[in-house]
Amino acid sequence: MDIKNNVFVYCEITEEGLVADIGLELLSKGRKLANELCVQLEAIVLGNNLKNIDKQLFPYGVDVINIAEDERLFPYMTLPHFEVITHLLKKKQPEILLLGASSVGRDLAPRIASHLRCGLTADCTALEIGTHTENKTGKVYQNLLYQIRPAFGGNIIATIINPETRPQMATVREGVMKREIYQADFKGIVEEIAVDQCLSDKDVLVKMVKREIEKHHINIKNASIIVAGGYGMGSKENFHQLFDFADLVGGEVGATRAAVDAGFTEPGRQIGQTGITVRPKLYFAFGISGAIQHLSGMEESSKIISVNIDPNAPINSIADYTIVGNVNDVLPLMMNALQN
Amino acid sequence: MSLKIAVLIKQVPDTRNVGKDAMKEDGTINRAALPAIFNPEDLNALEMALHIKDIIPDSQVIVLTMGPARATEILKEALYRGADRGILISDKYFAGSDTLATSYALSLAVKKLGKIDLVFAGRQAIDGDTAQVGPQIAEKLNMPQITYAEKVVEISIQHIVIQRRIERGTETVKVSLPCLITVHSSAPLCRFKNAKRVLKFKKITTAEEHTSNNNSSIEVWNAAFLEANMDYLGLSGSPTKVKKIENVVFSKKENVSIAPTQPEVDLLFKELIDSHIL
């Protein structure tokens, strides 16, 4: 079995000791890339007390789980994870390494890329395998990872490649890739990483003093109905009416970056390129003009209803129904309609 | 006792306020239509550095930016707000740098400053939103990194305690100096320009001289001065290549217009319920 040049996915561990959704989403994508490249899929899991992680991971088609268990590896701290992973990567020479574009992945990935002097693309919205011909030299590169991402505030989409350096590294935000079981009874192998060979005192320079992590995790990604508000809601008070409406329709409340920046609601509800990507069956857009960075995070919604004072708001072009009017006038009409 | 603090800042096009004329017909960006601004989170980073200088008054705050001559605008703005010294890192050889090549050039510049206690940067710049350059510089300087910082809990000559903002809450970490810190938008906003400082620095010009603590000019450092390995700069030092750029196009949908009246809204909801969408 060739252990080199495989596709690797770094799997974050949640407070509950499970692999986070983003890791499972990346494994689903990684399995497809590995199949296309005819290589294996390997997971990297670092933490403490990782029981039954293999049962959670194997159905996603993971050939090799590289696991490290040590009290210095949970909660996540940059240097211990960085040291263990760079040790592993130097040994295994991956072709591709995917990480979540979370506060963990975005902290860890650039430090690894700098150390290995390899290319890294942040916040990819699509990953594909393709070829590239260098214009100047005529050199042809087969089986490159196309790292597709929005740039310039989401106004353009760029395809990035790393022709010469390995691994080809990319981060992806939660919800962008779909989580798909590959084979329920799939079995791979587990390889333990010798943590003590990787870590020394200099890797624990940073000490955790206090952690305040909320138990409740807003789950807009899996909501089938989303009630989203934009800057056009006008105020925090107006925005909060959306929670009442969401309760009535059985949905979750989402927001645009502008609404979050204005302090109308918490960042965990942000939908779009720098937030979460959603695909509900029904999407209410209240006072959302439709910046590209928002639209690309919700355009795959089955039905979109837009309420906006501006008939020319860009969101109307992708909406199924548009109501031109003040959100504060239309929202009570909708509440009435539901209560009847 | 005092601290020597570097703050890495960037001038960026204001992508948050992209108007209709910001994109050209061919799908490329009309940079002229976008105002160039001080990257927002770099202002939070500058404030955190100035806050530490308030606590340990003899400290020195040095702002560095990599960019064209025009980027001196934000160096001056940082001086107006309280920074002590501004350095422009500028050379044609830096053009086309990706985050790795950028972090190489900036890490050389920080090393040129001599013994440094703290390096601050914004978490990310709004033109790329990558959040990569900070951690990459930390690795090159062999310093621990604290990302997503929102509050200085404690500072001394030996160590710093930082509260960082992550998805589901906060973490408070303690680290010995030196270290690199990237600052989140939830950190305090930057103080305003000081009128006396504006008068003092308004006429300041750039100079190719490399004297330290020069209050009368903004220093310009080039690749030769940084003794950079040319293979690590610009396009040749950038492992990522742009293969293709496309304009974002959303497929338009057939759209039903509903009047903002009770009967029409009732009808819409009846339809949604009848078709089991709601």
Side-chain angles (χ1 to χ4, degrees):
Chain A
M1 227 193 297
D2 187 8
I3 57 151
K4 285 194 169 180
N5 310 121
N6 286 336
V7 174
F8 280 64
V9 171
Y10 170 80
C11 297
E12 277 170 46
I13 297 297
T14 64
E15 297 299 308
E16 295 76 28
L18 297 168
V19 171
D21 274 4
I22 175 65
L24 303 176
E25 292 166 13
L26 291 177
L27 287 171
S28 307
K29 184 70 195 180
R31 183 66 257 174
K32 288 178 187 161
L33 296 172
N35 286 353
E36 221 174 320
L37 295 170
C38 301
V39 299
Q40 293 194 324
L41 174 64
E42 300 201 28
I44 305 173
V45 191
L46 274 53
N48 198 16
N49 296 325
L50 299 169
K51 287 186 201 77
N52 295 327
I53 283 289
D54 52 338
K55 290 187 184 63
Q56 198 192 355
L57 290 184
F58 283 139
Y60 291 89
V62 181
D63 296 298
V64 182
I65 301 174
N66 298 281
I67 192 165
E69 292 188 78
D70 190 290
E71 58 182 12
R72 289 166 289 184
L73 296 175
F74 192 88
Y76 167 84
M77 301 278 265
T78 315
L79 293 177
H81 277 236
F82 165 77
E83 286 298 330
V84 172
I85 292 168
T86 49
H87 260 80
L88 179 75
L89 297 179
K90 282 176 188 168
K91 195 170 92 188
K92 292 216 169 183
Q93 306 282 319
E95 183 69 13
I96 290 171
L97 171 62
L98 307 179
L99 301 96
S102 60
S103 63
V104 170
R106 293 169 120 241
D107 180 81
L108 180 61
R111 193 160 182 121
I112 295 172
S114 176
H115 188 71
L116 302 177
R117 289 204 53 76
C118 65
L120 165 65
T121 307
D123 299 351
C124 294
T125 50
L127 298 168
E128 293 164 11
I129 302 293
T131 57
H132 175 67
T133 308
E134 190 62 50
N135 279 340
K136 273 188 207 154
T137 58
K139 188 172 175 190
V140 180
Y141 297 86
Q142 303 283 356
N143 291 330
L144 283 182
L145 181 69
Y146 285 2
Q147 302 146 45
I148 300 160
R149 85 176 295 258
F152 246 82
N155 295 282
I156 54 172
I157 296 286
T159 301
I160 312 287
I161 48 170
N162 316 335
E164 299 288 352
T165 58
R166 294 294 177 273
Q168 301 166 84
M169 288 180 65
T171 66
V172 178
R173 284 194 174 263
E174 191 179 347
V176 170
M177 302 298 171
K178 284 181 195 157
R179 180 174 142 183
E180 291 160 294
I181 297 279
Y182 181 65
Q183 195 184 311
D185 58 352
F186 192 92
K187 279 282 172 288
I189 57 166
V190 177
E191 291 184 6
E192 288 196 24
I193 302 168
V195 178
D196 285 332
Q197 289 174 18
C198 313
L199 292 186
S200 64
D201 288 348
K202 71 169 177 47
D203 303 316
V204 284
L205 285 174
V206 183
K207 302 261 188 280
M208 187 70 72
V209 178
K210 194 168 71 176
R211 297 183 83 221
E212 288 179 15
I213 308 295
E214 295 153 25
K215 281 268 184 295
H216 171 66
H217 186 37
I218 307 158
N219 198 353
I220 53 171
K221 192 179 60 178
N222 297 325
S224 62
I225 297 174
I226 290 177
V227 177
Y231 193 68
M233 290 306 295
S235 70
K236 194 171 179 173
E237 289 67 35
N238 289 345
F239 192 95
H240 272 253
Q241 297 172 24
L242 297 180
F243 287 92
D244 301 333
F245 183 68
D247 281 344
L248 271 178
V249 295
E252 266 288 0
V253 173
T256 64
R257 184 175 184 166
V260 170
D261 286 349
F264 293 174
T265 190
E266 64 257 71
R269 298 191 184 276
Q270 190 182 316
I271 292 164
Q273 273 159 18
T274 50
I276 293 171
T277 297
V278 295
R279 300 175 182 84
K281 61 175 184 171
L282 182 58
Y283 193 95
F284 288 94
F286 289 101
I288 293 177
S289 63
I292 288 165
Q293 92 95 16
H294 182 74
L295 297 189
S296 56
M298 48 66 75
E299 55 153 344
E300 289 179 41
S301 306
S302 306
K303 288 274 181 232
I304 299 166
I305 300 175
S306 159
V307 181
N308 206 295
I309 195 100
D310 175 10
N312 299 318
I315 193 148
N316 292 347
S317 70
I318 67 157
D320 298 272
Y321 302 94
T322 58
I323 304 176
V324 177
N326 187 316
V327 285
N328 297 311
D329 298 335
V330 177
L331 204 51
L333 297 179
M334 289 185 162
M335 303 274 247
N336 286 338
L338 276 167
Q339 276 152 350
N340 295 332
Chain B
M1 291 298 275
S2 65
L3 295 175
K4 194 167 177 183
I5 307 168
V7 185
L8 309 173
I9 61 176
K10 187 180 185 185
Q11 191 178 42
V12 292
D14 192 355
T15 53
R16 296 170 308 176
N17 298 309
V18 174
K20 287 194 175 68
D21 53 349
M23 300 299 289
K24 294 185 201 161
E25 287 291 316
D26 59 1
T28 59
I29 296 142
N30 181 11
R31 281 176 188 263
L34 295 169
I37 60 165
F38 202 124
N39 180 52
E41 288 184 322
D42 297 350
L43 279 169
N44 298 104
L46 175 62
E47 176 57 35
M48 206 169 268
L50 294 173
H51 171 68
I52 289 171
K53 188 180 156 86
D54 291 342
I55 297 168
I56 304 174
D58 290 336
S59 300
Q60 193 193 8
V61 174
I62 306 159
V63 282
L64 302 98
T65 191
M66 184 168 124
R70 186 186 173 183
T72 48
E73 289 169 5
I74 59 163
L75 290 172
K76 278 183 158 186
E77 196 179 330
L79 294 174
Y80 298 161
R81 291 176 189 254
D84 300 298
R85 180 178 165 200
I87 298 165
L88 175 70
I89 300 150
S90 195
D91 201 313
K92 63 176 189 287
Y93 297 110
F94 299 142
S97 292
D98 70 359
T99 62
L100 191 75
T102 301
S103 70
Y104 174 67
L106 285 171
S107 67
L108 291 181
V110 173
K111 282 178 191 166
K112 275 277 173 210
L113 295 171
K115 187 190 160 293
I116 200 94
D117 299 294
L118 279 163
V119 181
F120 281 101
R123 174 189 51 150
Q124 62 192 40
I126 58 170
D127 55 348
D129 282 329
T130 72
Q132 286 172 193
V133 175
Q136 287 178 325
I137 293 172
E139 191 276 332
K140 289 185 162 55
L141 296 174
N142 201 19
M143 281 182 190
Q145 69 194 45
I146 309 294
T147 53
Y148 292 74
E150 71 171 0
K151 192 174 154 192
V152 178
V153 178
E154 207 183 300
I155 177 75
S156 76
I157 302 295
Q158 288 89 24
H159 71 265
I160 187 164
V161 180
I162 289 281
Q163 177 178 306
R164 55 195 300 264
R165 168 65 48 185
I166 56 175
E167 288 92 348
R168 284 165 73 177
T170 59
E171 285 179 350
T172 305
V173 292
K174 179 176 179 174
V175 59
S176 308
L177 305 186
C179 79
L180 181 143
I181 295 166
T182 76
V183 183
H184 190 258
S185 56
S186 59
L189 293 174
C190 194
R191 63 197 63 189
F192 295 118
K193 296 173 196 175
N194 172 302
K196 277 186 192 156
R197 297 186 68 88
V198 173
L199 283 174
K200 184 176 171 193
F201 294 111
K202 208 163 125 190
K203 297 257 165 68
I204 199 169
T205 52
T206 56
E208 298 282 345
E209 56 196 271
H210 308 304
T211 51
S212 61
N213 263 333
N214 190 332
N215 259 345
S216 59
S217 64
I218 282 172
E219 300 148 72
V220 183
W221 290 4
N222 60 18
F225 178 70
L226 294 178
E227 298 167 85
N229 177 342
M230 301 308 262
D231 292 341
Y232 288 1
L233 296 180
L235 277 176
S236 61
S238 300
T240 59
K241 313 283 174 202
V242 178
K243 180 170 171 62
K244 197 169 65 175
I245 296 279
E246 288 165 287
N247 203 353
V248 178
V249 186
F250 292 100
S251 49
K252 288 203 175 188
K253 281 190 191 166
E254 206 158 310
N255 178 294
V256 181
S257 189
I258 312 280
T261 62
Q262 194 68 59
E264 286 233 8
V265 171
D266 285 348
L267 218 58
L268 167 67
F269 276 76
K270 188 173 182 303
E271 197 183 313
L272 291 173
I273 291 163
D274 288 349
S275 55
H276 301 288
I277 294 170
L278 204 64

